[in-house]
Amino acid sequence: MLLTNIESACYDRFRRSVTLLVAAVTTVGGLTSASAQEKPSAEVVSVRAVVVGQDQVQRTITQPATIEPYYRAEIRSRLTEYVEEVCVDIGDSVAQGDILARLSIPEMQKQADVIAAKIGRLQAEERRAEAGVALATAAVTSARALLEQARSLVVARDAELKAIDAETSRVRDLVGRAAVEGRLLDEVTARRDAAAANRQAALSAVGSAEADTVVAQAKLKAAEADADVARAATDVTRAELAQLRVLMGFAELKAPFAGIVTKRTVNPGELVGSAAGSSSSASLFVVHQIDRVRCHISVPERDAAYVRPGDRIVLTFPSFSGEQIDAAVTRTSLSLDPETRTILVEAELPNPQNRLVPGMFGQAVLSIKSSATVSILPSQAVRFDGKGAAQVFVILDDSTVAVKSLQVLSDDGKTLQVSGVDPGQRVIDAHLQRFTDGQRVQVLNP
């Protein structure tokens, strides 16, 4: 029991000693940590400062460039026929209107012969109708002559009747005075009745002649209508033949412009289909005009508003290492592609030796006419963190530091064009130490 009490007292003294030791170590550690935290804030680092400058720079855009033919045409067949002859192959130069291939169209030729023969028959019917018009015209002329003759006869009968009426009046007066015998009055009266009957007959002849004239004129109009129908039938058939010959013209596939045949997918004897029935029918030939080519450049939306016709372009291509091609913006699409959010910029380039091949890929540096103001700094004043992000240490008016991130626009090895700081601001020049926000510094150079 005595040993147990002694051990307990010793254990209590040991525990109190450990507790005091731990408290002392904790106090010393806290003082040390506090001193370490206060030391950087209290330490003033001497630095040299540089002032952010500014410069007017020509805005440039670097984008991929693709060479396209000036014109590109896919040649298809309008007819469903067999290929009789292929006249060109890939790589051949063709002039506008040169024949690329011919199709066999014997049935269309026979159809053209039939229509030509039909036209001959219709022309004969046309001539017969014209003869009928001439005959009807003559009949009208004859009827009009007979009418005039009948009218003349009426005039003569009128004159004869008038003379007999005068004679009858004179004889009646003589008979009344018993100067002549009464039988003379009877004779004159009979002659007057005969003259009146002749006049009536003449009037009837005029009516008949007038009716004959109307009939002849109607027959003339009918003959003229028949002639018009015959001529119209001939014209319709001629138009059918002309339409057929237009279709026959499609049997010759021709080059729409001068260029190079870059594709041929047809051989003699093959049956080709009509392109009119299906827009997806395969092209038989592809022709490119490449004596003058187009360079297509897709410019992002942020720069699209600044591109204007006439802006300078410098082109480089892997095929022409070390060679630059100067060009200028010819036109833009003035519309953004909804998928890529880019605007199409096009430049036309002469290509007399066919060096620039459609599909060739290169790089375009586009200098737009509007300039921009950029901030410039010496390269040693810009730091880069572990992820490659650029930053500077800006010296504020109270001689404390503010860390600012930058975007480097260009780097010539000595000077950087940057965005993120304003011209006139002071930043720490080359220094081995990294600084934190709020850290106090002393600027050695005013």
Side-chain angles (χ1 to χ4, degrees):
M1 180 65 68
L2 180 60
L3 290 175
T4 302
N5 292 333
I6 294 173
E7 289 174 354
S8 177
C10 291
Y11 177 78
D12 290 337
R13 287 195 298 271
F14 175 76
R15 186 175 59 182
R16 285 195 298 271
S17 299
V18 170
T19 301
L20 292 173
L21 179 60
V22 170
V25 170
T26 303
T27 302
V28 172
L31 292 174
T32 303
S33 176
S35 300
Q37 290 177 351
E38 291 174 359
K39 184 176 182 179
S41 62
E43 180 183 0
V44 177
V45 180
S46 297
V47 297
R48 291 188 177 275
V50 293
V51 179
V52 179
Q54 67 177 7
D55 193 11
Q56 293 287 331
V57 297
Q58 180 70 46
R59 294 190 60 183
T60 61
I61 306 167
T62 301
Q63 292 294 329
T66 306
I67 296 299
E68 300 288 345
Y70 194 77
Y71 287 129
R72 180 181 185 274
E74 296 186 2
I75 312 301
R76 294 178 169 85
S77 174
R78 285 284 304 274
L79 306 175
T80 302
E81 301 292 348
Y82 287 96
V83 178
E84 179 179 335
E85 180 184 7
V86 176
C87 304
V88 296
D89 213 326
I90 59 173
D92 288 348
S93 297
V94 293
Q96 183 178 6
D98 281 357
I99 297 175
L100 308 179
R102 290 187 177 89
L103 306 181
S104 177
I105 52 170
E107 69 282 2
M108 296 181 72
Q109 186 61 55
K110 290 298 182 182
Q111 186 179 357
D113 295 341
V114 170
I115 295 178
K118 184 179 179 180
I119 290 175
R121 178 176 61 81
L122 291 174
Q123 287 175 336
E125 292 182 357
E126 188 177 338
R127 289 191 295 271
R128 182 175 63 182
E130 291 174 352
V133 171
L135 182 61
T137 301
V140 169
T141 303
S142 176
R144 286 174 177 171
L146 292 176
L147 177 59
E148 292 300 324
Q149 181 180 1
R151 288 172 176 170
S152 299
L153 184 58
V154 168
V155 173
R157 296 306 183 192
D158 284 342
E160 181 181 356
L161 181 60
K162 186 180 293 184
I164 292 177
D165 283 342
E167 184 179 356
T168 301
S169 296
R170 187 174 59 255
V171 171
R172 183 179 291 109
D173 181 63
L174 292 174
V175 170
R177 288 184 295 170
V180 294
E181 296 179 357
R183 61 182 181 83
L184 290 177
L185 179 61
D186 295 337
E187 292 177 357
V188 172
T189 301
R191 287 168 52 198
R192 181 187 178 284
D193 293 340
N198 289 338
R199 180 181 179 279
Q200 189 60 42
L203 290 174
S204 299
V206 168
S208 177
E210 288 177 344
D212 290 343
T213 301
V214 172
V215 171
Q217 289 175 339
K219 289 182 177 180
L220 175 59
K221 291 181 178 179
E224 289 174 344
D226 291 341
D228 291 339
V229 170
R231 282 191 290 269
T234 304
D235 292 340
V236 169
T237 309
R238 284 198 184 102
E240 292 175 353
L241 180 59
Q243 181 182 20
L244 180 60
R245 294 198 184 281
V246 170
L247 292 177
M248 291 172 65
F250 292 124
E252 293 182 342
L253 305 180
K254 298 180 179 180
F257 46 77
I260 304 294
V261 179
T262 60
K263 183 179 179 181
R264 176 189 63 81
T265 62
V266 65
N267 297 297
E270 290 184 354
L271 178 65
V272 295
S274 172
S278 174
S279 60
S280 62
S281 59
S283 58
L284 307 181
F285 299 92
V286 176
V287 179
H288 285 173
Q289 180 182 345
I290 60 173
D291 58 343
R292 188 171 184 83
V293 296
R294 305 174 190 264
C295 179
H296 284 180
I297 306 163
S298 295
V299 175
E301 181 177 3
R302 66 176 181 271
D303 300 312
Y306 301 102
V307 181
R308 294 290 184 273
D311 288 347
R312 183 171 180 263
I313 303 175
V314 176
L315 301 170
T316 55
F317 296 93
S319 302
F320 313 126
S321 179
E323 181 179 347
Q324 293 183 345
I325 300 176
D326 288 331
V329 174
T330 304
R331 61 186 65 86
T332 69
S333 63
L334 295 178
S335 177
L336 289 174
D337 187 316
E339 296 182 359
T340 63
R341 306 306 300 173
T342 59
I343 192 172
L344 179 63
V345 175
E346 185 177 273
E348 295 182 7
L349 302 173
N351 190 32
Q353 299 178 355
N354 298 341
R355 295 179 66 213
L356 299 175
V357 179
M360 186 176 286
F361 188 78
Q363 179 175 277
V365 178
L366 176 59
S367 300
I368 59 181
K369 292 181 179 179
S370 62
S371 59
T373 301
V374 296
S375 299
I376 56 174
L377 278 172
S379 57
Q380 69 271 13
V382 179
R383 276 76 165 180
F384 294 89
D385 61 16
K387 297 182 180 179
Q391 60 183 11
V392 292
F393 304 125
V394 178
I395 303 173
L396 302 179
D397 293 339
D398 59 356
S399 297
T400 58
V401 174
V403 181
K404 281 197 173 182
S405 298
L406 299 179
Q407 180 182 1
V408 178
L409 304 177
S410 69
D411 183 0
D412 62 5
K414 295 182 180 181
T415 304
L416 277 67
Q417 296 178 1
V418 297
S419 64
V421 289
D422 299 326
Q425 285 186 314
R426 295 185 303 166
V427 301
I428 297 176
D429 202 355
H431 202 284
L432 296 178
Q433 183 175 334
R434 293 279 179 173
F435 298 88
T436 59
D437 286 327
Q439 185 172 349
R440 188 172 297 278
V441 295
Q442 180 182 359
V443 180
L444 297 179
N445 52 331

